[in-house]
Amino acid sequence: MERIHWVRHRWQQLVATESGRGRYSAPAALPTKSSPVLHNTQQLTGKRRTVIARHGPYQHEYHSISKGCQGNGIRTTKYSLLSFIPMNLFQQFHRVANLYFLFLVMLNWIPVVEAFQKEITMIPLVVVLIVIAIKDALEDYRRYRFDQKVNNNIATVYSGKQQMYVDQCWQDVHVGDFVRLSCNEIIPADMLLLYSSDPHGVCYIETANLDGETNLKQRQVVRDLPQQGSELTPENFHSYIECENPNNDLSRFRGYMEYPSKARVGLHNNNLLLRSCTIRNTETVIGIVVYAGHETKAMKNNSGPRYKRSKLERRLNVDVLWSVVLLVIMCLTAAIGHGLWLRNQKEASFLIPDTTSPALSGFYLFWTMIIVLQVLIPISLYVSIEIVKLGQIFFIQNDIDFYNEYLDSRIQCRALNITEDLGQIQYVFSDKTGTLTENKMVFRRCTIAGVEYPHEENARRLEVYEQEEDEAKGRSHTLKSRASAKSLSCKSLSCNRSSVSLHTLTGHSEGEGEESPSPILPRHSAFSSPMEKDVVPDPLLVQKLNCLSSPLFLLRDASMELTYIVDFFMALAICNTVVVSSPNQPRHVVQVPEVSCTPLKSLEDIKMLFQRFGLPRFSTLSPPHTTKSPRSFTRRLFARGKAASFTPSPSPTPTKRGQPHEEEGEHGSWKGEEDKMLHLNPGAWSGLENSNGAQGPPGEPRADELIYEAESPDEAALVHMARAYRCTLQGRSLERLLVELPGMGSMAVRLLHILPFDSTRKRMSVGADSVIMDLAESPKGAEQSDGRQGHIREQTQKHLDNYAREGLRTLCIAKKVLEEEEYEVWLKRQAFAETSIENREELLLESAQRLETNLTLLGATGIVDRLQEEVPETIEALQRAGVKVWVLTGDKQETAINIACACKLLRSTDQLLTANCGSKEACKALLLELRAEVESGEAAEGTSGFTLVVDGRTLDFALQEDLKGDFLELSRRCRAVICCRSTPLQKSQVVRLVRDQLRVMTLAIGDGANDVSMIQVADVGIGISGQEGMQAVMSSDFAISRFKHLRKLLLVHGHWCYTRLANMILYFFYKNVMYVNLLFWYQFFCGFSGSVMTNSWVLIFFNLLFTSAPPLLYGILDKDVSADTLIKLPELYKSGQYSKAYLPSTFWLTMLDALYQSLVCFFVPYLAYAGSDVDMLSFGSPINASALLIILLHQVIESHTLTWLHALVLVGSALFYFSFTLVFSVVCVTCSPPTNPLGVDKLQMSQPLFYGVCALTTVLALLPRFLFHALRNSISPSDTLKAALMDQFNPDDYCRKMQRWNQTQAQSKARGLVINVEDSDIKIPDFILPKELKECSAATGSVLS
Amino acid sequence: MASSYNAKEEDGHVAVPGGGTIQNKKPDNTAFKQQRLPAWQPILTAGTVLPAFFVIGLIFIPIGIGLYVTSNNIKEFEIDYTGTDMSSPCFNCSQSFSWNSTRPCTCALPFSLEQPFESNVFMYYGLSNFYQNHRRYVKSRDDSQLNGDTTSLMNPSKECEPYARNEKMPIAPCGAIANSMFNDTLDLYYIDPNGTRIQIPLMKKGIAWWTDKHVKFRNPGGNPNLTSAFQGTTKPINWRKPVYELDTDAENNGFINEDFIVWMRTAALPTFRKLYRIIQKKNNMTPTLPRGNYTLEVTYNYPVRSFEGRKRVILSTISWMGGKNPFLGIAYITVGSVCFFLGVVLLIIHHKYGSRNNTADIPN
């Protein structure tokens, strides 16, 4: 049976791969029935790795097998001491810029072409090479030191000679070595866990070093190890380990271990200890190294910073090409001119006798001119841009607004060269969970067995957090920022009765410090802020639960419901992978005590209990008291409460239905019975609630509190919720769980199997004793629909829909009772699936699905994921800035729409278009229909915009080749698009489609692994370093901690970076063209011979030294509008979107201006000196000086801000030039032939004519630009300028004008599209969802609010 | 530690040595890092630039007038002696193409000055269409040799090619510039009203830059006997005499001959003048060159016909801003007036638009 199954799978896989390659393989490749081992050995050589113990019994084999494996020493340096110079040069000459310089240097070595002295043309190259080489050397040295440090770390490794564990350096560890580690040690290489001092063979590791996640992860000793128990001796390790070749997938490890008995055990990720993680909570661990050094997963994941080319740079490259064209034209002109000139000259005494023909001389001259005019190609621009971007990144990283106190993190800029792209974003694609929302799952309400428990107190609690924070916020505002807060903050808004709150706690302990669970480790336990922890129980549910502990009898029907309730809470408590620890031993996991020493009840006991429901309860049974299991606070309270008021009361008061909690039209089958339920003194409960919400009784040590460390926030929320109902998860080990139930005390649950959550199944299951508890995103799998179960299912579905509409995340809870033999059968297959190397995923999936059927639906929970603070404001600002925001989420349609309207993506005036279809034809028709609707709607008054909602299936159709045009056309007209139920692949497809087809700048932002592909595809990828690990961050260009940071990042830094860089690039072009043209004009007066009227050093340094610093500073520090104003007027962002600062017309205008300035700068001195006895260098001196003044003053005109730094650099540059030339003209006696400057500048600068010429030239050259700016700014100022003008007003005027601006902006927009800042309190409408939404049929629905 | 390397090192996070795990990453709240440096924001509008235009106008116009007047006060006289015209006294001499004709050709040009030249008079020779700024011409010299370096004297730089050696002998001074040195001799005679010719004394020293004469140019060796110092070298091909016979005065001979130095400073433009002699003012009573008739006697050696050049002699006084050139004055006046005019235009614009900008900010 198994064999057949396996063969089938293998077959499928082969066919799939072979047909993919386009040829059909011969059947020989198929596995025969003979044995899978044979097949496996065939594969061994290629994709596998075999590991055996190094000092074990097979030493002779060891060397042959481990030949290909790397040692554990790492070398991340690029160079060694000897290879540095050649290697570095080789690397550097991969850059085009350096090759260009090299080409010029070579050119200058050809005698007929030579323009300058050889050394002079080498200067730019040498300077660039040296600067970069120094940078590289420093970086490499840092790496080297780090490698040394890491390689020389000490690990305890088993030595074959000494027959014991000895200390060794990390670099001497080899594959097959046994390594022993103690608590808090760092793992030196990827190892297979073979022994753990923990009796259950578990060890915990912290992967914070690897991915930033601080929660503990459990690792497990390889199963059925023969020497289990005692510390294993490497000599007797006879097993073979087969595993995959090294790869970079952190979450996957496949392989098996073959024991001498030929038995095989599957190996998973669970058995692997990853390099650079830290061992926690476990005294001693022994493992065998399987991957070492660079082959470890950590090292394989170590990718460097990302390189992308920005849009501006692509634009720049076009203009560089234009410069090349210009250069060629100029050189051609000179070459032809020289040829013609030479032809006319006969035997002039100033001509060197030569046999070359005029044409050939012209040809040579062409190359000479290329050397002379080389700076026209702004190669130094590329170096400058890199420096400027580093500066910009420095400022972005140092922005205090991006600092998150809670995480102690700043913004991370991973991509160093796309800062200016931030200023040109047109489309933002956002993930929902964790990006727009907090990813702090807070339990909100639940339904059990068809009865809804609205938890209204809980809702109120969530509101309170929000208000407190608002108050705290209000207090800290200063005058100006108060104005901004007023205009930006909006009142808490509730969307469809749900309590989606806008503001959450920024800090963990802010305003709530005493509530912090463990002051020692404020941020070490994920998902356990007080908000997430404190759940106010629903009185009705409490009441029902109390029946458990009440000594009174209950009616039989009610007990059935009670079974559901207890099972429900059991499921919440155990169906997870939460690690429990206590705060006074932060990293020590609370273990389940030995079974034998405490009389614990098992699930079976409970079942028994319910079967014999008429019997009195075991209330007298005291909860087991063990030192190892700390009692929870709630439990203590409960015990207290019991002592006070839970004593058998003679006068039970019946519940009055609907007293505090109205069940809206809910007619559960137990409705009648509820009245008969016994109600205990509510005072006890209110007491519990109070103390639960506030703090423990004075004097009581709080150290008993448990800390839950969960892998996912949902898990944590549910465990906390169960705990609020006193179903407390108290400890966990590999095999059992310790759970405390109300009225029953602690009990140990045997853990059979955990089927962890994965995104394809969208569920997780835990097998405990003979019951499977299942958590799923949809009630699928709960197939039994007879009678009562059917009713529950119907009701639950109804509640689920309601929850989704409120924007809650829903989870269904189901259970299944498993027969022993059924489980055995399943386990066998599961074991098979686990040990197989190929196809494991499919097999596991299939196996899991086999188990997760025929479940009994117990109920469902609704979890609130609150919006992050300032999300609506951010989205509104982005929309005002002309950025289209798309939300791509895997969530349900209803949830997505609700979040969208909570974060103001959807407005009351918006028209909602939904697209759900089942077939491609329907999809096509629908797209056309919606488009028509949009077109008609655009003409009509009253609607402000359209929002398209697409589900995953429709998206699949829409992304197909023939429909994507229609889809884009439709979505382009919509103000926002929401894609729900979309897969990671779809997300990236959507981004790619929009990016490529609409040719727009896209930004993707997300926090989870499912956003990685989208982040990588987008022009700018932003990762949110939230609670879901670092995968998104690792693949992003920028990593921020909150969504709201996006606003400042784009509107302020993006705008600045873009305008700065664009202006700097234009300035660079201007500068080069202006200066080079001076040399070009001179050619007309020297027979186009390639002469220059300047000393060649000065000529080279002019670009390199005298005028290089000011544009850099300009590119880093210039500020056209203040940050405040940019934030308040997002419309200013549009200038970047339309590339207004750097249009082709701007480029050519700048070129023209440069041409004019160079004409003035050359011909004014020319006319002033014409006919006089001026010599070449004296003629060049005033030209150079005035060129410098013009270039520097041009910058002053162009810059928007001038600080003392600017003044320093500008004055410094000028002084540097003048002092350099002066000193040079004094000391340079025979240097720099033929342009020896001795005495020239000294003499020139002592003559008034020099200054007269300079002054006139400078004024005349700058006059047009100056005038142009003044006229444009006066007659038709740009928005940016108007905003800049506003910055100069005093605060009062500023506020007044800001308001007026916003009003006028709003009025100018058609039909009031833009929300007036004054009344930003927009009511979000109740969306009535069409029926089609639920049924997912090929229907269309468009809903008007 | 290993890990912070693995995951974060490459991100630009510099691992802090010593590695305190709890370190505050909060950026400094300084004006510089938060980009809040106090700054002057020059926003150019009609209103703000107005004063600048008027100020420029007010400064430039007087300067321009001053320059113009100064330039006009300079007296300048120019006479072309190329002799391409049949009528010219130098016609015969100009027909010769050869540099080394043995028979010196002389010609005399009479001219008269309408106005007396009061102060020191500078006598220039001018050449037109002579491209002293040609790249290969400019390069063709050896500064080390001219600086008195004996090795360079014997082994001229290859930049001097093909004027580095003549029949294996090194040429001193080498190169095309030196080879093409201007070698006409100009003498000036004042014709007394009573007909007597009085030769006007011409100062041949002080015409070169001080730095050139004393720093840049030096005779080889410390040897006062130039003939032996230049032993083993030969004269440039076009020269009639070796370099150590340029003058009898030891202070003005060899490489430090000022005529030679002046020639070696290559002119910026193809039409240029070079200082030839200075006529010093004798006393305050008599003008340096009184008005009247003069004769210019030219020993015509320098051929210019091959490149259609012209030769001139210029007599000029100079002022604080150099020779006669009305351009700068006119340019200053023009620019000043334009600025003034633009100032007025801006004033109007400012009245029309400026008020709108200041009160109601956003016209939309």
Side-chain angles (χ1 to χ4, degrees), chain B residues 128-308:
Chain B
S128 298
N129 212 13
F130 190 99
Y131 286 82
Q132 242 201 333
N133 55 12
H134 189 278
R135 179 171 57 94
R136 298 182 62 194
Y137 180 83
V138 168
K139 276 204 299 189
S140 187
R141 62 191 286 164
D142 186 346
D143 278 342
S144 304
Q145 193 190 44
L146 299 176
N147 194 230
D149 187 70
T150 43
T151 28
S152 297
L153 184 72
M154 291 308 168
N155 296 297
S157 148
K158 68 173 179 49
E159 300 286 354
C160 285
E161 295 290 353
Y163 300 108
R165 284 171 187 277
N166 188 13
E167 293 160 355
K168 307 270 160 117
M169 293 273 275
I171 295 175
C174 73
I177 309 178
N179 190 48
S180 61
M181 185 176 152
F182 182 79
N183 58 359
D184 283 0
T185 314
L186 306 168
D187 289 304
L188 198 59
Y189 297 93
Y190 176 60
I191 312 293
D192 238 4
N194 48 21
T196 47
R197 277 177 23 142
I198 304 164
Q199 181 161 18
I200 294 171
L202 302 174
M203 287 260 307
K204 55 169 111 178
K205 289 219 248 176
I207 56 172
W209 293 5
W210 187 90
T211 44
D212 281 1
K213 169 112 180 167
H214 295 96
V215 183
K216 195 171 174 179
F217 288 81
R218 272 193 210 141
N219 281 322
N223 202 336
N225 185 355
L226 289 180
T227 320
S228 61
F230 284 98
Q231 191 70 46
T233 64
T234 182
K235 66 177 177 60
I237 300 157
N238 289 349
W239 286 22
R240 286 153 201 262
K241 302 178 279 193
V243 67
Y244 45 85
E245 288 174 21
L246 285 176
D247 198 359
T248 48
D249 183 357
E251 286 300 299
N252 195 27
N253 201 4
F255 289 156
I256 55 170
N257 177 272
E258 295 199 19
D259 285 332
F260 174 67
I261 293 173
V262 166
W263 180 255
M264 290 306 283
R265 190 154 278 284
T266 52
L269 301 167
T271 299
F272 60 89
R273 61 173 75 160
K274 280 184 184 290
L275 190 55
Y276 184 65
R277 296 289 181 261
I278 299 172
I279 305 165
Q280 286 225 285
K281 185 183 174 87
K282 280 169 244 136
N283 50 50
N284 286 332
M285 304 310 289
T286 50
T288 323
L289 292 180
R291 63 182 274 243
N293 294 324
Y294 292 85
T295 305
L296 177 72
E297 272 207 10
V298 181
T299 315
Y300 200 110
N301 294 322
Y302 203 72
V304 292
R305 252 188 79 181
S306 61
F307 53 93
E308 287 162 1

Side-chain angles (χ1 to χ4, degrees), chain A residues 164-229:
Chain A
M164 57 182 285
Y165 287 95
V166 293
D167 284 352
Q168 275 188 3
C169 290
W170 277 27
Q171 57 185 344
D172 300 325
V173 174
H174 295 276
V175 170
D177 266 336
F178 284 83
V179 178
R180 188 171 67 188
L181 294 166
S182 314
C183 193
N184 297 335
E185 279 188 347
I186 297 169
I187 303 168
D190 287 358
M191 319 191 299
L192 211 54
L193 181 58
L194 297 180
Y195 166 80
S196 164
S197 59
D198 183 280
H200 304 287
V202 177
C203 105
Y204 294 91
I205 59 171
E206 191 188 78
T207 56
N209 287 335
L210 204 58
D211 56 12
E213 296 179 46
T214 50
N215 55 335
L216 293 184
K217 298 199 174 55
Q218 196 174 324
R219 289 291 188 263
Q220 208 174 322
V221 169
V222 177
R223 283 187 184 209
D224 309 327
L225 215 57
Q227 294 116 319
Q228 184 108 43

Side-chain angles (χ1 to χ4, degrees), chain A residues 76 114 142-143 146-147 149-150 170 186 209-210 276 299 302 305 338 341 345 347-350 352-354 368 394-395 398-400 403 408 410 412-414 1034 1053 1056 1060 1082 1085-1087 1089-1091 1119 1164 1166-1169 1171-1176 1178-1179 1197 1199-1205 1229-1230 1234 1236 1238-1240 1242-1243 1248-1249 1252 1255-1256 1259-1260 1263 1266-1267 1269-1271 1273-1275 1277 1281-1282 1284-1285 1288 1297 1300-1301 1304-1305, chain B residues 1-11 13-15 22-29 32-46 49 52-53 56 60 99 124 129-131 133-140 143-144 147 159 161-163 176 180 209 211-212 215-216 265-274 302 306-308 320-321 325 327-328 331-332 335 338-339 342 346 349 353 356-364:
Chain A
T76 53
E114 178 185 357
R142 216 180 59 189
R143 281 199 207 104
F146 213 96
D147 288 352
K149 207 166 140 195
V150 169
W170 277 27
I186 297 169
N209 287 335
L210 204 58
S276 80
M299 294 302 289
N302 188 2
H338 186 65
W341 177 83
Q345 302 293 334
E347 283 177 41
S349 48
F350 51 85
I352 312 283
D354 211 336
T368 306
F394 170 80
F395 280 117
N398 273 297
D399 193 320
I400 203 160
Y403 176 70
D408 188 28
R410 308 176 178 194
Q412 277 182 48
C413 301
R414 294 175 46 81
M1034 295 301 260
H1053 287 287
W1056 279 348
R1060 281 168 182 175
Y1082 189 59
F1085 302 95
C1086 68
S1089 60
S1091 270
K1119 218 160 54 163
V1164 167
Y1166 170 77
L1167 291 171
Y1169 285 104
S1172 72
D1173 61 342
V1174 70
D1175 66 281
M1176 279 174 80
S1178 302
F1179 177 62
I1197 293 177
S1199 28
H1200 301 92
T1201 45
L1202 292 170
T1203 62
W1204 62 267
L1205 273 171
V1229 177
T1230 56
N1236 180 301
L1238 186 75
V1240 173
K1242 199 181 113 203
L1243 197 70
L1249 185 62
L1256 179 71
V1259 168
L1260 192 58
L1263 200 62
F1266 198 60
L1267 190 69
H1269 273 291
L1271 288 181
N1273 292 348
S1274 296
I1275 294 171
L1281 186 96
K1282 282 185 266 183
L1285 276 172
Q1288 299 190 328
K1297 280 173 195 303
R1300 200 176 306 165
W1301 170 296
T1304 46
Q1305 287 283 332
Chain B
M1 256 346 260
S3 43
S4 74
Y5 169 64
N6 287 330
K8 285 165 186 156
E9 165 85 350
E10 296 285 353
D11 303 347
H13 280 256
V14 181
I22 301 167
Q23 44 167 315
N24 196 356
K25 286 195 200 147
K26 186 170 186 171
D28 301 338
N29 194 2
F32 174 67
K33 283 192 175 174
Q34 301 307 318
Q35 308 193 55
R36 280 188 274 101
L37 283 179
W40 175 56
Q41 290 190 295
I43 296 179
L44 305 175
T45 59
V49 302
F53 277 87
I56 291 172
F60 271 32
W99 281 86
Y124 300 90
N129 212 13
F130 190 99
Y131 286 82
N133 55 12
H134 189 278
R135 179 171 57 94
R136 298 182 62 194
Y137 180 83
V138 168
K139 276 204 299 189
S140 187
D143 278 342
S144 304
N147 194 230
E159 300 286 354
E161 295 290 353
Y163 300 108
S180 61
W209 293 5
T211 44
D212 281 1
V215 183
K216 195 171 174 179
R265 190 154 278 284
T266 52
L269 301 167
T271 299
F272 60 89
R273 61 173 75 160
K274 280 184 184 290
Y302 203 72
S306 61
F307 53 93
E308 287 162 1
W320 54 272
M321 43 91 47
N325 189 344
F327 165 77
L328 213 53
Y332 262 97
V335 172
V338 166
C339 282
L342 288 173
L346 286 172
I349 289 173
Y353 296 96
R356 196 177 64 185
N357 277 332
N358 287 333
T359 54
D361 38 4
I362 317 300
N364 240 323

